Amino acid sequence: MLKKFVKMQGAGNDYIYFDCFGGEPEGASALAVRLSDRHKGIGGDGVVLICPSAVADAKMRMFNADGSEGRMCGNAVRCVGKYLYESGICRREELSVETLSGVRRLRLFPEGGKVERVRVDMGRADFSPESLPVLLEGEAVGRPVRIAGGEHRITCVSMGNPHCVLFEDPAAVDLERVGPLIECDPLFPERVNAEFVRVIGKNALEMRVWERGSGETMACGTGACAAAAAAVACGLCDRGADILVRLRGGDLVVNVGDTVFLTGGAETVFTGEVEL
């Protein structure tokens, strides 16, 4: 069976999107593994299903490149908003999208009928150990631990999915070696995303990310939010200010207050049909 897809990206974080208002494909996990392959498939960080929802304008299900189902992706949910608007499913500038981490509210900024920028209310940054989970007593904010074969200071924060933030030079880290060690460390029973972050100016950060289930990606929206929230908690950035987060795939803007807002681009790469 041939099914249409849309390849979209936000800050280089690229997924293969399927309109599932007529029904979801079977075997989504296996499908994500097959289609995400950049040599034998379409290529991407995973697959996103855009489905009907009883509590929001749509429901997002996202599957990482290894087939695991993710709880939330800030870059992907912006692209879902873009698709809903441009396809005519929901032609409003304020939308809601159901995820496994709850309903996320989006503000779209269309120009000439196209959406190129979206702001998402990502919810509260949660530093409680049970929210990730992480096997530490109390909040881990700049906490020294032995991990990945060395001593590191980590800040653990959930943005609907788990993150371990390290304020270490992203350019100096051997991410292919260290990333999997942190992701799968026994401290994190459900694995974790790892962000290496450097302050590059007032309310400006540079970051590389190792994503749980996908490896190093060009960007991670929840990771950018986690990095900004960690920077505020550690006194490195200002609460309530727009924080620039520079990633390999582009820039995102995060504002950390009672809730965390993420603003960034959303772009269609190409459309096509694939045999399922």
Side-chain angles (χ1 to χ4, degrees):
M1 177 184 71
L2 283 174
K3 187 167 180 63
K4 293 181 179 180
F5 69 88
V6 182
K7 176 80 176 287
M8 290 187 281
Q9 64 90 12
N13 202 190
D14 58 339
Y15 288 89
I16 303 148
Y17 295 77
F18 289 100
D19 184 330
C20 296
F21 276 82
E24 297 183 25
E26 295 182 4
S29 292
L31 188 67
V33 173
R34 176 166 69 90
L35 297 185
S36 297
D37 190 299
R38 296 188 185 275
H39 300 286
K40 298 180 180 179
I42 296 169
D45 292 327
V47 163
V48 173
L49 309 183
I50 305 173
C51 311
S53 169
V55 297
D57 292 309
K59 179 179 180 179
M60 179 181 83
R61 296 188 67 196
M62 55 89 59
F63 295 83
N64 297 309
D66 70 350
S68 60
E69 185 167 6
R71 295 184 60 82
M72 177 56 186
C73 176
N75 291 321
V77 78
R78 293 200 313 277
C79 290
V80 170
K82 173 185 177 71
Y83 180 85
L84 292 172
Y85 185 91
E86 293 184 1
S87 66
I89 293 173
C90 199
R91 197 80 172 177
R92 298 197 314 274
E93 294 182 7
E94 294 189 1
L95 305 176
S96 59
V97 177
E98 179 186 359
T99 75
L100 286 180
S101 293
V103 174
R104 296 293 181 256
R105 304 200 177 277
L106 284 60
R107 173 73 166 88
L108 280 54
F109 301 94
E111 292 184 13
K114 297 292 184 181
V115 175
E116 296 184 355
R117 191 166 61 94
V118 179
R119 184 183 69 191
V120 186
D121 182 345
M122 298 288 287
R124 184 174 63 91
D126 193 343
F127 292 87
S128 62
E130 59 271 16
S131 67
L132 281 91
V134 55
L135 301 181
L136 293 171
E137 291 293 329
E139 294 184 354
V141 176
R143 174 83 68 91
V145 298
R146 184 161 185 83
I147 195 171
E151 294 288 335
H152 299 271
R153 288 187 176 272
I154 65 173
T155 297
C156 297
V157 56
S158 172
M159 287 303 312
N161 55 359
H163 295 273
C164 176
V165 180
L166 301 90
F167 287 98
E168 301 178 13
D169 187 356
V173 66
D174 182 357
L175 197 55
E176 288 292 326
R177 181 186 69 82
V178 176
L181 295 177
I182 297 176
E183 176 189 356
C184 300
D185 192 278
L187 269 177
F188 306 103
E190 297 179 13
R191 299 186 295 163
V192 77
N193 301 282
E195 287 82 23
F196 288 82
V197 184
R198 181 171 71 98
V199 178
I200 57 173
K202 182 174 175 59
N203 295 319
L205 306 172
E206 179 184 53
M207 183 183 105
R208 286 175 70 189
V209 57
W210 182 272
E211 288 202 59
R212 177 179 63 166
S214 293
E216 183 174 14
T217 57
M218 298 291 284
C220 174
T222 56
C225 292
V232 169
C234 293
L236 302 173
C237 288
D238 297 331
R239 185 177 180 85
D242 282 348
I243 300 170
L244 173 71
V245 184
R246 182 150 289 163
L247 303 112
R248 291 179 62 206
D251 295 344
L252 296 171
V253 175
V254 181
N255 192 297
V256 181
D258 293 334
T259 189
V260 179
F261 288 98
L262 170 70
T263 304
E267 180 183 342
T268 298
V269 182
F270 60 86
T271 63
E273 292 183 330
V274 65
E275 185 75 37
L276 300 186

